[in-house]
Amino acid sequence: MYRYTSNMGLGNSREKQIRKVLLGTIAVLLVVILVLVIVLIRTGHTGNSIRSEVMARITSDLSSAITMVNRMDRTATSKTLGDVGRIRQYIYSMEQMNKLCITVENERLISDNVFTALYSDLDNFESLTQGAKSSTMDAQALLLTHLTNLQTLLSQ
């Protein structure tokens, strides 16, 4: 068997250098792991914060849309079309916030079918307001039903 022997203790200094390099490498790896854990924890908290901010904005827009529908006249007037336009803006804002949540969190808060139904309700509402002073009560009730159903769904 071959045994490594060093002249004048050179092996000991070399072993010490290797130990120092290994300890330094381990220390650097521990620092890197610690930094990654901190970043992951912060990212998780930021994600929750973003999701809650998006949910708060959607809830606010939804509440404003419901309030506006409740305040509308039951027959088509000159301001009905403007009110429907503002409600459409609230729904569009909710849709954009939902898309933001999908992009950032990879989570859909509201199904696309809900937005399709709401836009359909608004289109129906607008077509009723184009005519003479016709009753918009049924269209208004349907829109309000869909909005309050969404509100109930989001509050669960």
Side-chain angles (χ1 to χ4, degrees):
M1 191 178 262
Y2 178 78
R3 221 179 222 194
Y4 176 75
T5 59
S6 64
N7 294 336
M8 301 192 321
L10 290 178
N12 273 343
S13 67
R14 186 169 206 112
E15 286 176 15
K16 286 181 183 178
Q17 285 177 341
I18 291 172
R19 285 182 190 159
K20 284 181 183 179
V21 169
L22 285 175
L23 288 174
T25 304
I26 290 171
V28 168
L29 286 174
L30 287 175
V31 169
V32 168
I33 290 170
L34 182 64
V35 168
L36 286 175
V37 167
I38 290 171
V39 167
L40 288 174
I41 289 172
R42 286 189 179 177
T43 302
H45 289 302
T46 302
N48 290 338
S49 176
I50 290 172
R51 185 182 188 284
S52 63
E53 287 294 323
V54 167
M55 185 60 92
R57 176 63 188 261
I58 287 174
T59 303
S60 173
D61 287 340
L62 181 57
S63 178
S64 296
I66 289 171
T67 299
M68 185 155 275
V69 171
N70 282 326
R71 290 184 180 167
M72 291 177 70
D73 294 330
R74 303 289 184 235
T75 59
T77 64
S78 59
K79 80 176 208 126
T80 303
L81 205 52
D83 290 342
V84 171
R86 281 187 283 288
I87 294 166
R88 186 178 295 274
Q89 287 175 336
Y90 289 126
I91 293 170
Y92 178 77
S93 175
M94 289 187 295
E95 183 180 30
Q96 295 309 305
M97 290 291 109
N98 191 51
K99 287 180 180 178
L100 176 67
C101 195
I102 293 168
T103 301
V104 173
E105 293 291 312
N106 202 22
E107 180 181 1
R108 181 181 309 274
L109 298 174
I110 303 170
S111 169
D112 288 338
N113 296 337
V114 171
F115 291 112
T116 301
L118 289 171
Y119 286 128
S120 175
D121 292 345
L122 289 172
D123 291 343
N124 182 37
F125 213 122
E126 283 179 345
S127 68
L128 287 174
T129 60
Q130 299 297 325
K133 292 205 177 230
S134 58
S135 173
T136 58
M137 193 179 312
D138 291 339
Q140 187 176 4
L142 183 61
L143 178 58
L144 186 59
T145 299
H146 285 148
L147 289 170
T148 53
N149 287 346
L150 176 57
Q151 189 176 41
T152 302
L153 180 71
L154 290 177
S155 67
Q156 294 177 352

